[in-house]
Structure formats: C-alpha cells, structure tokens
Amino acid sequence: MSYIEKKYRNKITEVFGDLSAIEQDILQLLTHKSISFSDKIAKLCALCTKNVNLILKKYYPEIKQIDDKLKIKSRLKFYYDLIDKLTHYIRCIEEFQKLDDQYYETIIDFIEEKENLISGKYTEISTHELTVFYDRTTREELERVLAEKIELGSKQFFTFGSLEEELKKIARNAGADSVTIIDDEEMIKRSEFIDNPKAFIYYSVFSTDEELLKTIGRELKKYLISKGYEAIILLLEISDYSTDRDYLTGSVITNAKLVPDRDSQFR
C-alpha cells in the first residue's frame, strides 16, 4: 500500500467518525418528534453531505485495495440513503408543517440499524457493483454493448438496473445531493402539465448554483424522453435553511410508472 493510499484511508476513517457524531446528533433531535428542530436537522444534513462529498471527491479515488473500497463504499451507501430520507423529511416539514410520529420512527429505526444495514444490504450491493466494475468478462461485455450503440449511432440510453436506479444515478452524476421518487396522489391530481402523470422525481443540492439545479432537471428529462415517456421540469425552489448556505430543490413530473421510495414518504 502506497503512502498516499494509507494516508487517505486514515482520513476517510476520520471523516466517518465525524459522520457518526453527526448522525447521533440527528438521532437525538429526531427523538423529540417535533418540527421545531427541522432547521437544525437541515444544517446537520448539509454537513453530512459535505463530508460524504469530501470522501468521494478527494480521498476515495486514491483507494486501490478492493477490500478497503468495499468497506468504504458500503458505509457511504448508508449515508446516501440517510441524506435522501432527511432531505425528504425537510421537504415534508416545509409542505405540511406536521408529521406523523411514525415518520420519525422510520428514520430513527434506519439510523439505529446502521451497522446491520452496512454489513448486510449495503455490502451486498457494493460487492455486486465492484464485481461488475473490476470483473474483466463483465467489463468486456459492457464495452461491447457500448461499442454497438455507438456504431449504430443510437442516442438512446441503455439500462442495466431498474428505471428508478438509473434516474437516481443520472441525477447524482449530474450533481444532485439527494433524489427521492414519490407518487403522492393528491399532488399528482393537481398536475395538468402532461397526460396521465404518475410520479414526481425530487432532487436537491446543498448549493446556491441554480444552473446546476436546471442541469439535473434537463438530464432527467432527456433520459425519460429517450425511454418514450413524457417529462416536465416543474419547479425550482430556494429555501434558506442557514445563514451561510442555501438549500435548492427541483422536481420533474413524468408519466413513467415509477416505484416510490415508500420508506421515506409522508403518510
């Protein structure tokens, strides 16, 4: 192991320690089951996102050992989902100003199950992703498919996961910090922008860059249209959750039938 790899692995361990402290602060606030703590939770969520991005952009690219990559990737996936849940929680507070206690319990249970989720579900997913990336036969097959697409001049996207997974991947690659799919019937009934609307895709960035938000919407819309669906970029919002950072959210409505993130939806 190189000096730089060892150094960055240690840095990642330190950042995960900071993230653990942040999640415990969030857990403490959630136990009150009160919307009066939503601003504090939003700031902690933003701090959580900042630390995850630090690992992803600065430290993780230098890690070469597969065992280390698996451990880091599995733990990061827990934080991806935690940020998704907290972002949706913040949006629900903003829209409804009241939440059922069960909503809080869902996030609390998720945090308390952290280690079981990491050692089970997230390790399994990460193992599959790393196998696909590093397995020579799999990579050659992916490259073959890509070469055929280019040769045919096709501008269509191709999918190796579910539609929901691809949409979230596209949004995150475009710069989204979180992505949530919902199918709230009441909200959909009010949408007259497209025929037969079925789902909303909410995305957010902890940034003041409105152009970035628009880019994410355009990428999602382009992908959905390539699959034969309609899609409309519905809104851009700026909610000032802190004095030094703005929290931007956008959404796309589509007639694609998507499976919503049930465990993070308001009920």
Side-chain angles (χ1 to χ4, degrees), residues 150-162:
I150 294 173
E151 185 177 346
L152 292 172
S154 172
K155 295 182 180 179
Q156 297 292 313
F157 290 84
F158 53 97
T159 303
F160 294 101
S162 70

Side-chain angles (χ1 to χ4, degrees), residues 214-243:
K214 294 175 185 177
T215 298
I216 297 167
R218 286 193 291 265
E219 289 298 312
L220 288 170
K221 180 178 178 179
K222 182 170 67 173
Y223 176 78
L224 285 162
I225 290 174
S226 79
K227 290 295 181 182
Y229 300 110
E230 289 185 71
I232 297 291
I233 302 172
L234 268 186
L235 56 90
L236 298 173
E237 296 176 357
I238 303 176
S239 301
D240 192 7
Y241 278 102
S242 66
T243 57

Side-chain angles (χ1 to χ4, degrees), residues 13-27 48 51 75 78-79 82 111 114-115 118:
T13 300
E14 291 176 12
V15 177
F16 276 137
D18 293 339
L19 284 165
S20 292
I22 293 169
E23 91 202 20
Q24 289 306 305
D25 288 342
I26 291 170
L27 183 61
C48 194
N51 279 295
R75 199 157 289 267
F78 167 80
Y79 287 107
L82 176 60
I111 295 174
K114 170 186 170 181
E115 293 304 327
I118 290 172

Side-chain angles (χ1 to χ4, degrees), residues 32-201:
H32 294 286
K33 299 178 182 177
S34 170
I35 66 173
S36 61
F37 295 99
S38 60
D39 284 353
K40 290 183 179 180
I41 291 174
K43 290 177 183 178
L44 289 171
C45 182
L47 187 57
C48 194
T49 300
K50 181 179 179 181
N51 279 295
V52 166
N53 285 337
L54 177 63
I55 293 174
L56 281 173
K57 295 176 181 179
K58 185 172 182 180
Y59 302 136
Y60 184 76
E62 295 296 331
I63 303 300
K64 309 302 179 187
Q65 297 290 328
I66 295 297
D67 287 348
D68 289 336
K69 292 177 82 71
L70 177 60
K71 291 175 183 176
I72 295 165
K73 194 177 183 69
S74 302
R75 199 157 289 267
L76 283 174
K77 284 190 177 296
F78 167 80
Y79 287 107
Y80 294 158
D81 282 355
L82 176 60
I83 291 168
D84 269 350
K85 292 176 189 298
L86 293 175
T87 301
H88 195 262
Y89 159 81
I90 294 163
R91 170 172 287 280
C92 287
I93 293 292
E94 182 183 28
E95 292 182 355
F96 303 106
Q97 294 301 305
K98 184 179 180 180
L99 293 177
D100 187 273
D101 284 355
Q102 185 58 44
Y103 191 102
Y104 293 95
E105 291 294 341
T106 298
I107 306 178
I108 290 170
D109 290 345
F110 177 79
I111 295 174
E112 290 179 341
E113 280 292 304
K114 170 186 170 181
E115 293 304 327
N116 288 335
L117 288 167
I118 290 172
S119 62
K121 172 184 175 181
Y122 295 127
T123 294
E124 183 178 345
I125 294 171
S126 299
T127 299
H128 174 71
E129 289 179 356
L130 288 170
T131 299
V132 168
F133 187 80
Y134 287 99
D135 179 76
R136 181 176 178 181
T137 303
T138 304
R139 283 185 65 91
E140 288 177 351
E141 177 63 16
L142 294 178
E143 289 168 2
R144 182 190 65 76
V145 172
L146 180 59
E148 289 179 359
K149 290 284 182 180
I150 294 173
E151 185 177 346
L152 292 172
S154 172
K155 295 182 180 179
Q156 297 292 313
F157 290 84
F158 53 97
T159 303
F160 294 101
S162 70
L163 183 57
E164 293 82 10
E165 290 172 344
E166 291 299 314
L167 287 166
K168 289 183 177 182
K169 186 191 303 180
I170 287 165
R172 287 199 175 103
N173 286 343
D177 289 310
S178 66
V179 192
T180 303
I181 295 170
I182 73 168
D183 64 350
D184 187 286
E185 292 182 6
E186 192 60 36
M187 294 177 68
I188 289 175
K189 283 179 183 177
R190 300 174 187 171
S191 302
E192 301 176 352
F193 303 96
I194 62 176
D195 293 330
N196 195 24
K198 289 190 173 70
F200 287 89
I201 306 162

